[in-house]
Amino acid sequence: RVRLPRRIAGEMPVSAIGVLDDAADSLDRRFPPAVRLVDCTPYRYTGAVSGPFAQRLAWIDAARALCVSGVVLMHFLLLVYAPTTERFPDDTAAWSTVSGTLLAFRMPLLFAVSGLLVADRVRAGWSDRRNLVRVASSYDLYAVWLLVYALISLFLPGSMPYRISSVQDFVSQLLIPETPLWFVLFLAVNVILLTSVSAVHPAIVMAGLFALSMWSLAFDFPAGLELIGRGFYYLLFFAVGVYLPSAVRFLASAGLWWKLAIAFITFLWVTNVLARLEYMTLDWLAGYVLQDLVGVALGVVIVAILCRIPFVARGLQFVGTRTLPIYVLHVPVIWVALALAEIAGQSTIDNAPMRAVVPVAATVLIMGACIGLAALINRYRLGRMLFDLPAPASSRILGRPIA
């Protein structure tokens, strides 16, 4: 077994922000609006488009769905199962192995897909003002939901994980994240950084980011800054989507079975070599980053194969276009569940047979609750502000007249 760096071992992941907003930009270039069958309002899929673009949209949605499912599962294990380790060591260890196995796929793939969706505009530099909109919308989402977390925290026990304890804590987290919302913040940071170096040759940027990922693994970040290090690590994977979009799309195209064989064998080989290296040496650090890069390739191929199964593709597509509300809402939903369980003084996971299936069932229920809550919130104009940058702000940034 490969030992994980301390800041990675307890990883929290989300959702790529506004996938259909970015998909719509590509769609507008390929299909006239009159023949388009996709409703490009954010996070809602209402139909299908034929041709290569539709296939790309399907696997991107599916990838996001699987990644966010892994995120919810991991947080359920961290918040609900981890405290029971002393009572159920074998069961907890088994599920920790499952979560650890997904580590090489969950966040690397999510960041790569996020970069892929904004590749054209980021490489165009700041001359494309949509980059400013993306930065503003991501940070707006982060700040708004950080406030929501803070308000919910007022009613939570002091021991609840990720709880925002004070006004000072809230203000500091506007720049230094300490909750699972870190991913949302780093979507803005990543766009800022890569847009700012758009004139630099991609090979130089990628080489520098590979070194940054290695450094972020090795550096012992002070308490409270661990998620900053995590964001630095995953910047490389966002850059993979930005600078290598053709390679990522190639992995999801024809010839999937031989690609699966090559990617799977390569992943096993890198993992085996990594296990033989001395922990935290330069070779180990490079191998760890390489393992996650191969994990992205393997993940893309697996997702593309799953999309060949119609009912699986439809289910993943449904979830994939709703990963934003799942991501920002799943921790509060777990908070409420834990608080209710504490009040009731009961725990389903104390039942040994149930422990084998509870994590999967809980993941499905939590995601369903998040989707339902988001649908309810979006029925009201004020509620929609929790997910979207106000249109006047977007128009001002783009320099368009406000209707």
Side-chain angles (χ1 to χ4, degrees):
R1 294 180 61 184
V2 177
R3 288 189 294 171
L4 302 178
R6 287 187 296 275
R7 66 166 191 78
I8 292 290
E11 162 164 343
M12 305 167 292
V14 192
S15 122
I17 306 302
V19 60
L20 287 188
D21 173 43
D22 296 307
D25 296 330
S26 297
L27 198 57
D28 284 334
R29 294 195 294 271
R30 292 170 174 80
F31 300 94
V35 301
R36 194 168 65 208
L37 299 180
V38 170
D39 174 4
C40 291
T41 53
Y43 324 114
R44 181 175 299 168
Y45 179 82
T46 59
V49 178
S50 60
F53 178 78
Q55 295 174 1
R56 282 199 294 274
L57 182 62
W59 80 257
I60 288 173
D61 283 341
R64 296 172 67 243
L66 291 173
C67 288
V68 80
S69 299
V71 170
V72 176
L73 172 64
M74 182 203 60
H75 280 141
F76 179 82
L77 294 174
L78 284 174
L79 300 181
V80 180
Y81 261 38
T84 68
T85 300
E86 292 184 1
R87 287 184 292 151
F88 306 99
D90 294 337
D91 294 341
T92 305
W95 278 107
S96 295
T97 300
V98 171
S99 184
T101 301
L102 297 175
L103 183 61
F105 306 95
R106 197 166 45 219
M107 291 309 291
L109 180 57
L110 188 55
F111 270 102
V113 170
S114 301
L116 176 67
L117 291 170
V118 296
D120 291 343
R121 64 181 67 175
V122 168
R123 295 187 68 172
W126 291 114
S127 60
D128 190 332
R129 295 183 66 86
R130 291 176 302 168
N131 288 317
L132 290 172
V133 174
R134 174 58 61 211
V135 171
S137 62
S138 295
Y139 190 77
D140 173 75
L141 182 72
Y142 173 76
V144 166
W145 279 94
L146 187 66
L147 178 60
V148 173
Y149 277 34
L151 294 175
I152 296 175
S153 295
L154 295 174
F155 304 96
L156 296 175
S159 60
M160 192 69 74
Y162 309 132
R163 179 178 176 272
I164 297 174
S165 58
S166 64
V167 174
Q168 182 180 356
D169 188 16
F170 169 77
V171 172
S172 70
Q173 288 203 47
L174 288 173
L175 293 177
I176 303 174
E178 295 184 44
T179 72
L181 294 173
W182 70 272
F183 172 76
V184 181
L185 175 62
F186 267 93
L187 285 180
V189 172
N190 291 349
V191 171
I192 291 172
L193 294 177
L194 293 188
T195 303
S196 298
V197 299
S198 60
V200 181
H201 194 282
I204 297 175
V205 176
M206 293 290 286
L209 294 180
F210 192 97
L212 178 64
S213 292
M214 291 175 59
W215 173 81
S216 68
L217 286 174
F219 186 74
D220 189 12
F221 285 86
L225 297 179
E226 297 92 344
L227 295 182
I228 296 294
R230 190 170 301 166
F232 287 161
Y233 178 79
Y234 289 116
L235 179 55
L236 170 67
F237 301 90
F238 189 85
V240 166
V242 170
Y243 293 117
L244 302 174
S246 297
V248 176
R249 293 188 184 105
F250 169 76
L251 290 169
S253 61
L256 292 173
W257 291 109
W258 67 262
K259 292 175 185 175
L260 175 64
I262 293 174
F264 183 68
I265 292 171
T266 303
F267 184 80
L268 290 180
W269 177 75
V270 173
T271 302
N272 183 60
V273 171
L274 186 62
R276 298 171 184 270
L277 296 175
E278 185 178 350
Y279 184 62
M280 283 296 174
T281 60
L282 283 177
D283 289 344
W284 188 92
L285 294 170
Y288 190 94
V289 178
L290 182 60
Q291 175 189 247
D292 283 358
L293 288 170
V294 177
V296 169
L298 180 58
V300 169
V301 176
I302 291 174
V303 168
I305 290 174
L306 290 175
C307 286
R308 297 286 186 90
I309 307 172
F311 76 92
V312 174
R314 286 193 294 270
L316 292 176
Q317 210 163 22
F318 175 85
V319 175
T321 54
R322 293 161 175 82
T323 49
L324 169 63
I326 294 172
Y327 184 69
V328 297
L329 280 166
H330 78 277
V331 170
V333 168
I334 295 175
W335 277 345
V336 172
L338 285 173
L340 292 176
E342 186 173 325
I343 293 172
Q346 298 176 351
S347 177
T348 303
I349 62 173
D350 286 346
N351 185 309
M354 290 294 293
R355 289 177 63 81
V357 297
V358 163
V360 175
T363 298
V364 173
L365 290 174
I366 291 167
M367 292 171 65
C370 293
I371 292 173
L373 284 171
L376 181 63
I377 291 171
N378 276 318
R379 293 181 61 182
Y380 304 96
R381 184 173 182 179
L382 184 61
R384 289 194 292 272
M385 293 177 63
L386 293 175
F387 297 109
D388 301 320
L389 182 70
S394 177
S395 297
R396 288 191 181 95
I397 294 171
L398 292 172
R400 295 172 180 169
I402 302 174

